[in-house]
Amino acid sequence: MVQEDAIMLKRELKKQLYTRWDEITLMLVVEAGFFLFGELMLAAAVYGIGGKERTVIPIGTMLAVCVPVILMVFFGMSSLAMNFNLAVSMGSVRSRYVMAMLGVSYLQAVALLWIADLFYALEQWIFRVAYAGMKNELEMGVFFQWKYILPVSLAVVAIAALIGALFLRFGKGVFVIFWICWMAAVIGGPQLAKILASKKDNAFLRMLRIMARGFCGFPQAGLLVIITAISVAMLAAAWMVLRRQQVVT
């Protein structure tokens, strides 16, 4: 019985890889495209008309990481919402489908971050050749370690899976709430950082500064364990929703 389940799961994984190959290829192309775009932006800032920059940042690598990861979250939650009903109605066992879908998504996230590490190595070579003598203001190599890549990839998959499952259960309102929270973080995050760095002082800001110092001073291993635990809890919550989800054909 166990051997039969393993064979069926392997078939489901192959099916997932086949049906999602275009998505995986698109993500890799997007990652390479935004890396190139970042390099062109940096060259324009340093050597372009009016260019006065004498320091560099790995903007190509930053874009190669951020944009594909963001797209993967949105694609992942929408893909689950669209494909779950179709797959189960066509005979896929939901437990195998969900395991295969999450497995392929996790491998995709790991591959994207690993390739971003290769792009960072290429960018470092570009810095030595084209920007010799200029200081790199952001060292990103430390982040491309497996102890970071694996839990971050798990978190990306967990966020997409949970939001996709909630969308199936509760409808479009979930996407609206997620979009509002996302925009609040994107717009409000930098503003909050500026306020915390300012000299303003009140009870609320003091509390936020204490929380920020506590977070920054938290042991690195502890943070990784917390991220992993939260991600596993989110995946479990997504499965609890999906295992009871009524299939609509």
Side-chain angles (χ1 to χ4, degrees):
M1 185 66 179
V2 174
Q3 185 177 3
E4 182 182 351
D5 287 341
I7 293 173
M8 296 302 293
L9 179 59
K10 185 177 179 180
R11 289 178 181 173
E12 190 66 48
L13 281 168
K14 288 182 178 179
K15 187 189 301 182
Q16 284 280 329
L17 285 171
Y18 177 78
T19 57
R20 295 178 59 185
W21 185 250
D22 288 345
E23 175 192 330
I24 295 171
T25 303
L26 175 63
M27 286 293 186
L28 296 177
V29 171
V30 167
E31 186 172 18
F34 271 94
F35 174 78
L36 178 59
F37 178 66
E39 294 309 301
L40 294 175
M41 288 178 59
L42 181 60
V46 175
Y47 296 119
I49 298 175
K52 297 180 180 179
E53 295 295 330
R54 289 298 173 263
T55 60
V56 293
I57 59 173
I59 188 170
T61 303
M62 292 168 63
L63 292 177
V65 172
C66 295
V67 175
V69 166
I70 292 170
L71 288 177
M72 187 175 172
V73 170
F74 281 94
F75 279 12
M77 61 190 187
S78 60
S79 175
L80 174 60
M82 289 187 297
N83 295 333
F84 177 80
N85 287 329
L86 178 62
V88 176
S89 65
M90 293 182 66
S92 294
V93 177
R94 65 179 68 198
S95 60
R96 295 192 194 114
Y97 171 79
V98 172
M99 288 179 64
M101 182 271 297
L102 294 176
V104 171
S105 297
Y106 184 67
L107 291 176
Q108 180 183 357
V110 170
L112 287 173
L113 292 177
W114 178 71
I115 291 173
D117 185 22
L118 299 181
F119 279 135
Y120 182 69
L122 174 59
E123 193 164 38
Q124 292 296 102
W125 177 81
I126 293 173
F127 284 177
R128 290 193 295 270
V129 173
Y131 308 102
M134 298 185 187
K135 180 183 178 183
N136 179 8
E137 292 189 342
L138 180 60
E139 175 59 52
M140 292 186 65
V142 67
F143 299 110
F144 293 113
Q145 301 180 50
W146 288 111
K147 65 179 180 179
Y148 300 131
I149 290 175
L150 297 180
V152 168
S153 299
L154 185 64
V156 170
V157 173
I159 292 170
L162 182 57
I163 296 173
L166 292 175
F167 171 75
L168 276 172
R169 184 66 178 272
F170 300 108
K172 294 181 180 179
V174 173
F175 279 171
V176 174
I177 294 173
F178 173 75
W179 180 254
I180 292 173
C181 294
W182 172 257
M183 294 308 297
V186 171
I187 297 173
Q191 296 299 321
L192 181 60
K194 289 181 181 179
I195 293 174
L196 291 176
S198 68
K199 296 181 179 180
K200 295 180 181 179
D201 187 43
N202 56 52
F204 179 68
L205 288 178
R206 285 196 296 271
M207 180 184 70
L208 288 179
R209 289 186 180 110
I210 291 172
M211 293 173 62
R213 285 195 295 269
F215 179 81
C216 294
F218 202 81
Q220 183 184 96
L223 287 175
L224 295 176
V225 170
I226 290 173
I227 291 172
T228 302
I230 292 174
S231 300
V232 170
M234 293 172 70
L235 290 172
W239 168 241
M240 293 301 293
V241 173
L242 292 173
R243 70 192 295 261
R244 294 183 174 89
Q245 177 63 32
Q246 182 178 0
V247 176
V248 179
T249 58

